[in-house]
PDB file of all heavy atoms in Angstrom:
ATOM      1  N   LEU J1082     -10.017   5.745   1.224  1.00 85.00           N
ATOM      2  CA  LEU J1082     -11.132   6.647   1.524  1.00 85.00           C
ATOM      3  C   LEU J1082     -12.453   5.895   1.586  1.00 85.00           C
ATOM      4  O   LEU J1082     -13.464   6.434   2.030  1.00 85.00           O
ATOM      5  CB  LEU J1082     -11.237   7.753   0.480  1.00 85.00           C
ATOM      6  CG  LEU J1082     -10.036   8.684   0.432  1.00 85.00           C
ATOM      7  CD1 LEU J1082     -10.241   9.748  -0.607  1.00 85.00           C
ATOM      8  CD2 LEU J1082      -9.829   9.320   1.790  1.00 85.00           C
ATOM      9  N   ARG J1083     -12.451   4.676   1.136  1.00 82.00           N
ATOM     10  CA  ARG J1083     -13.662   3.873   1.222  1.00 82.00           C
ATOM     11  C   ARG J1083     -13.807   3.232   2.601  1.00 82.00           C
ATOM     12  O   ARG J1083     -14.815   2.642   2.918  1.00 82.00           O
ATOM     13  CB  ARG J1083     -13.606   2.755   0.177  1.00 82.00           C
ATOM     14  CG  ARG J1083     -13.919   3.206  -1.187  1.00 82.00           C
ATOM     15  CD  ARG J1083     -15.392   3.205  -1.445  1.00 82.00           C
ATOM     16  NE  ARG J1083     -15.958   1.869  -1.260  1.00 82.00           N
ATOM     17  CZ  ARG J1083     -17.241   1.613  -1.312  1.00 82.00           C
ATOM     18  NH1 ARG J1083     -18.087   2.572  -1.525  1.00 82.00           N
ATOM     19  NH2 ARG J1083     -17.677   0.383  -1.136  1.00 82.00           N
ATOM     20  N   SER J1084     -12.794   3.342   3.379  1.00 84.00           N
ATOM     21  CA  SER J1084     -12.749   2.622   4.644  1.00 84.00           C
ATOM     22  C   SER J1084     -13.551   3.374   5.726  1.00 84.00           C
ATOM     23  O   SER J1084     -14.308   4.282   5.445  1.00 84.00           O
ATOM     24  CB  SER J1084     -11.293   2.459   5.046  1.00 84.00           C
ATOM     25  OG  SER J1084     -11.192   1.553   6.080  1.00 84.00           O
ATOM     26  N   HIS J1085     -13.345   2.965   6.965  1.00 87.00           N
ATOM     27  CA  HIS J1085     -14.110   3.549   8.061  1.00 87.00           C
ATOM     28  C   HIS J1085     -13.864   5.047   8.201  1.00 87.00           C
ATOM     29  O   HIS J1085     -12.842   5.561   7.778  1.00 87.00           O
ATOM     30  CB  HIS J1085     -13.694   2.868   9.366  1.00 87.00           C
ATOM     31  CG  HIS J1085     -13.933   1.400   9.355  1.00 87.00           C
ATOM     32  ND1 HIS J1085     -15.179   0.868   9.433  1.00 87.00           N
ATOM     33  CD2 HIS J1085     -13.086   0.367   9.235  1.00 87.00           C
ATOM     34  CE1 HIS J1085     -15.104  -0.454   9.398  1.00 87.00           C
ATOM     35  NE2 HIS J1085     -13.832  -0.792   9.268  1.00 87.00           N
ATOM     36  N   ARG J1086     -14.777   5.675   8.888  1.00 87.00           N
ATOM     37  CA  ARG J1086     -14.731   7.119   9.082  1.00 87.00           C
ATOM     38  C   ARG J1086     -13.396   7.558   9.694  1.00 87.00           C
ATOM     39  O   ARG J1086     -12.767   8.534   9.261  1.00 87.00           O
ATOM     40  CB  ARG J1086     -15.873   7.492  10.037  1.00 87.00           C
ATOM     41  CG  ARG J1086     -15.909   8.884  10.541  1.00 87.00           C
ATOM     42  CD  ARG J1086     -16.999   9.024  11.568  1.00 87.00           C
ATOM     43  NE  ARG J1086     -16.667   8.343  12.806  1.00 87.00           N
ATOM     44  CZ  ARG J1086     -16.160   8.947  13.884  1.00 87.00           C
ATOM     45  NH1 ARG J1086     -15.959  10.234  13.856  1.00 87.00           N
ATOM     46  NH2 ARG J1086     -15.878   8.284  14.966  1.00 87.00           N
ATOM     47  N   GLU J1087     -12.939   6.845  10.704  1.00 88.00           N
ATOM     48  CA  GLU J1087     -11.723   7.262  11.405  1.00 88.00           C
ATOM     49  C   GLU J1087     -10.506   7.148  10.489  1.00 88.00           C
ATOM     50  O   GLU J1087      -9.610   7.981  10.526  1.00 88.00           O
ATOM     51  CB  GLU J1087     -11.497   6.403  12.660  1.00 88.00           C
ATOM     52  CG  GLU J1087     -12.580   6.519  13.694  1.00 88.00           C
ATOM     53  CD  GLU J1087     -13.769   5.615  13.390  1.00 88.00           C
ATOM     54  OE1 GLU J1087     -13.700   4.805  12.456  1.00 88.00           O
ATOM     55  OE2 GLU J1087     -14.790   5.726  14.107  1.00 88.00           O
ATOM     56  N   VAL J1088     -10.510   6.080   9.671  1.00 90.00           N
ATOM     57  CA  VAL J1088      -9.417   5.889   8.728  1.00 90.00           C
ATOM     58  C   VAL J1088      -9.427   7.035   7.720  1.00 90.00           C
ATOM     59  O   VAL J1088      -8.406   7.630   7.437  1.00 90.00           O
ATOM     60  CB  VAL J1088      -9.576   4.538   8.010  1.00 90.00           C
ATOM     61  CG1 VAL J1088      -8.481   4.382   6.968  1.00 90.00           C
ATOM     62  CG2 VAL J1088      -9.506   3.407   9.014  1.00 90.00           C
ATOM     63  N   GLN J1089     -10.619   7.360   7.247  1.00 90.00           N
ATOM     64  CA  GLN J1089     -10.740   8.476   6.307  1.00 90.00           C
ATOM     65  C   GLN J1089     -10.141   9.739   6.882  1.00 90.00           C
ATOM     66  O   GLN J1089      -9.424  10.458   6.226  1.00 90.00           O
ATOM     67  CB  GLN J1089     -12.216   8.771   6.019  1.00 90.00           C
ATOM     68  CG  GLN J1089     -12.869   7.807   5.086  1.00 90.00           C
ATOM     69  CD  GLN J1089     -14.303   8.240   4.831  1.00 90.00           C
ATOM     70  OE1 GLN J1089     -14.606   9.427   4.778  1.00 90.00           O
ATOM     71  NE2 GLN J1089     -15.172   7.296   4.666  1.00 90.00           N
ATOM     72  N   TYR J1090     -10.440   9.947   8.141  1.00 90.00           N
ATOM     73  CA  TYR J1090      -9.997  11.152   8.822  1.00 90.00           C
ATOM     74  C   TYR J1090      -8.477  11.282   8.760  1.00 90.00           C
ATOM     75  O   TYR J1090      -7.942  12.308   8.332  1.00 90.00           O
ATOM     76  CB  TYR J1090     -10.479  11.130  10.274  1.00 90.00           C
ATOM     77  CG  TYR J1090      -9.982  12.236  11.158  1.00 90.00           C
ATOM     78  CD1 TYR J1090     -10.440  13.540  10.982  1.00 90.00           C
ATOM     79  CD2 TYR J1090      -9.066  11.983  12.161  1.00 90.00           C
ATOM     80  CE1 TYR J1090      -9.996  14.546  11.782  1.00 90.00           C
ATOM     81  CE2 TYR J1090      -8.619  12.999  12.966  1.00 90.00           C
ATOM     82  CZ  TYR J1090      -9.064  14.282  12.787  1.00 90.00           C
ATOM     83  OH  TYR J1090      -8.602  15.282  13.585  1.00 90.00           O
ATOM     84  N   VAL J1091      -7.814  10.218   9.154  1.00 89.00           N
ATOM     85  CA  VAL J1091      -6.345  10.270   9.189  1.00 89.00           C
ATOM     86  C   VAL J1091      -5.784  10.330   7.777  1.00 89.00           C
ATOM     87  O   VAL J1091      -4.860  11.123   7.495  1.00 89.00           O
ATOM     88  CB  VAL J1091      -5.777   9.054   9.941  1.00 89.00           C
ATOM     89  CG1 VAL J1091      -4.268   9.085   9.919  1.00 89.00           C
ATOM     90  CG2 VAL J1091      -6.300   9.010  11.350  1.00 89.00           C
ATOM     91  N   VAL J1092      -6.329   9.548   6.874  1.00 90.00           N
ATOM     92  CA  VAL J1092      -5.809   9.531   5.509  1.00 90.00           C
ATOM     93  C   VAL J1092      -6.008  10.892   4.849  1.00 90.00           C
ATOM     94  O   VAL J1092      -5.109  11.428   4.204  1.00 90.00           O
ATOM     95  CB  VAL J1092      -6.487   8.420   4.692  1.00 90.00           C
ATOM     96  CG1 VAL J1092      -6.088   8.525   3.231  1.00 90.00           C
ATOM     97  CG2 VAL J1092      -6.107   7.068   5.227  1.00 90.00           C
ATOM     98  N   LEU J1093      -7.175  11.476   5.066  1.00 90.00           N
ATOM     99  CA  LEU J1093      -7.443  12.787   4.464  1.00 90.00           C
ATOM    100  C   LEU J1093      -6.466  13.838   5.003  1.00 90.00           C
ATOM    101  O   LEU J1093      -6.009  14.704   4.261  1.00 90.00           O
ATOM    102  CB  LEU J1093      -8.879  13.217   4.729  1.00 90.00           C
ATOM    103  CG  LEU J1093      -9.949  12.527   3.877  1.00 90.00           C
ATOM    104  CD1 LEU J1093     -11.321  12.855   4.366  1.00 90.00           C
ATOM    105  CD2 LEU J1093      -9.812  12.910   2.428  1.00 90.00           C
ATOM    106  N   GLN J1094      -6.170  13.733   6.263  1.00 88.00           N
ATOM    107  CA  GLN J1094      -5.190  14.676   6.818  1.00 88.00           C
ATOM    108  C   GLN J1094      -3.853  14.572   6.087  1.00 88.00           C
ATOM    109  O   GLN J1094      -3.231  15.568   5.764  1.00 88.00           O
ATOM    110  CB  GLN J1094      -4.987  14.377   8.306  1.00 88.00           C
ATOM    111  CG  GLN J1094      -6.016  15.037   9.171  1.00 88.00           C
ATOM    112  CD  GLN J1094      -5.621  14.893  10.628  1.00 88.00           C
ATOM    113  OE1 GLN J1094      -5.020  13.918  11.031  1.00 88.00           O
ATOM    114  NE2 GLN J1094      -5.965  15.868  11.423  1.00 88.00           N
ATOM    115  N   ASN J1095      -3.455  13.323   5.885  1.00 89.00           N
ATOM    116  CA  ASN J1095      -2.190  13.137   5.202  1.00 89.00           C
ATOM    117  C   ASN J1095      -2.253  13.631   3.767  1.00 89.00           C
ATOM    118  O   ASN J1095      -1.316  14.241   3.269  1.00 89.00           O
ATOM    119  CB  ASN J1095      -1.793  11.655   5.226  1.00 89.00           C
ATOM    120  CG  ASN J1095      -1.279  11.259   6.597  1.00 89.00           C
ATOM    121  OD1 ASN J1095      -0.423  11.916   7.165  1.00 89.00           O
ATOM    122  ND2 ASN J1095      -1.828  10.202   7.130  1.00 89.00           N
ATOM    123  N   ILE J1096      -3.375  13.335   3.120  1.00 89.00           N
ATOM    124  CA  ILE J1096      -3.504  13.789   1.741  1.00 89.00           C
ATOM    125  C   ILE J1096      -3.499  15.306   1.694  1.00 89.00           C
ATOM    126  O   ILE J1096      -2.894  15.922   0.799  1.00 89.00           O
ATOM    127  CB  ILE J1096      -4.792  13.218   1.113  1.00 89.00           C
ATOM    128  CG1 ILE J1096      -4.680  11.711   0.960  1.00 89.00           C
ATOM    129  CG2 ILE J1096      -5.055  13.852  -0.261  1.00 89.00           C
ATOM    130  CD1 ILE J1096      -5.880  11.058   0.363  1.00 89.00           C
ATOM    131  N   ALA J1097      -4.167  15.924   2.689  1.00 87.00           N
ATOM    132  CA  ALA J1097      -4.203  17.386   2.714  1.00 87.00           C
ATOM    133  C   ALA J1097      -2.809  17.945   2.746  1.00 87.00           C
ATOM    134  O   ALA J1097      -2.479  18.888   2.019  1.00 87.00           O
ATOM    135  CB  ALA J1097      -5.004  17.857   3.918  1.00 87.00           C
ATOM    136  N   THR J1098      -1.947  17.357   3.568  1.00 87.00           N
ATOM    137  CA  THR J1098      -0.577  17.845   3.639  1.00 87.00           C
ATOM    138  C   THR J1098       0.154  17.625   2.324  1.00 87.00           C
ATOM    139  O   THR J1098       0.856  18.496   1.845  1.00 87.00           O
ATOM    140  CB  THR J1098       0.160  17.119   4.758  1.00 87.00           C
ATOM    141  OG1 THR J1098      -0.601  17.176   5.935  1.00 87.00           O
ATOM    142  CG2 THR J1098       1.505  17.740   5.020  1.00 87.00           C
ATOM    143  N   MET J1099      -0.042  16.438   1.771  1.00 87.00           N
ATOM    144  CA  MET J1099       0.651  16.134   0.510  1.00 87.00           C
ATOM    145  C   MET J1099       0.161  17.037  -0.615  1.00 87.00           C
ATOM    146  O   MET J1099       0.958  17.513  -1.424  1.00 87.00           O
ATOM    147  CB  MET J1099       0.386  14.689   0.094  1.00 87.00           C
ATOM    148  CG  MET J1099       1.065  13.671   0.987  1.00 87.00           C
ATOM    149  SD  MET J1099       0.779  12.023   0.286  1.00 87.00           S
ATOM    150  CE  MET J1099       1.223  11.010   1.657  1.00 87.00           C
ATOM    151  N   SER J1100      -1.156  17.267  -0.653  1.00 85.00           N
ATOM    152  CA  SER J1100      -1.696  17.967  -1.812  1.00 85.00           C
ATOM    153  C   SER J1100      -1.239  19.407  -1.866  1.00 85.00           C
ATOM    154  O   SER J1100      -1.269  20.031  -2.915  1.00 85.00           O
ATOM    155  CB  SER J1100      -3.212  17.874  -1.812  1.00 85.00           C
ATOM    156  OG  SER J1100      -3.731  18.508  -0.683  1.00 85.00           O
ATOM    157  N   ILE J1101      -0.838  19.941  -0.734  1.00 83.00           N
ATOM    158  CA  ILE J1101      -0.350  21.316  -0.762  1.00 83.00           C
ATOM    159  C   ILE J1101       0.960  21.386  -1.518  1.00 83.00           C
ATOM    160  O   ILE J1101       1.179  22.264  -2.329  1.00 83.00           O
ATOM    161  CB  ILE J1101      -0.191  21.844   0.681  1.00 83.00           C
ATOM    162  CG1 ILE J1101      -1.569  22.106   1.246  1.00 83.00           C
ATOM    163  CG2 ILE J1101       0.631  23.104   0.693  1.00 83.00           C
ATOM    164  CD1 ILE J1101      -1.573  22.398   2.687  1.00 83.00           C
TER     165      ILE J1101
END
Side-chain angles (χ1 to χ4, degrees):
Chain J
L1082 296 181
R1083 281 275 301 173
S1084 193
H1085 301 286
R1086 172 186 70 98
E1087 298 83 7
V1088 176
Q1089 284 183 34
Y1090 173 71
V1091 178
V1092 173
L1093 284 171
Q1094 276 190 327
N1095 285 310
I1096 293 180
T1098 310
M1099 290 185 195
S1100 62
I1101 287 170

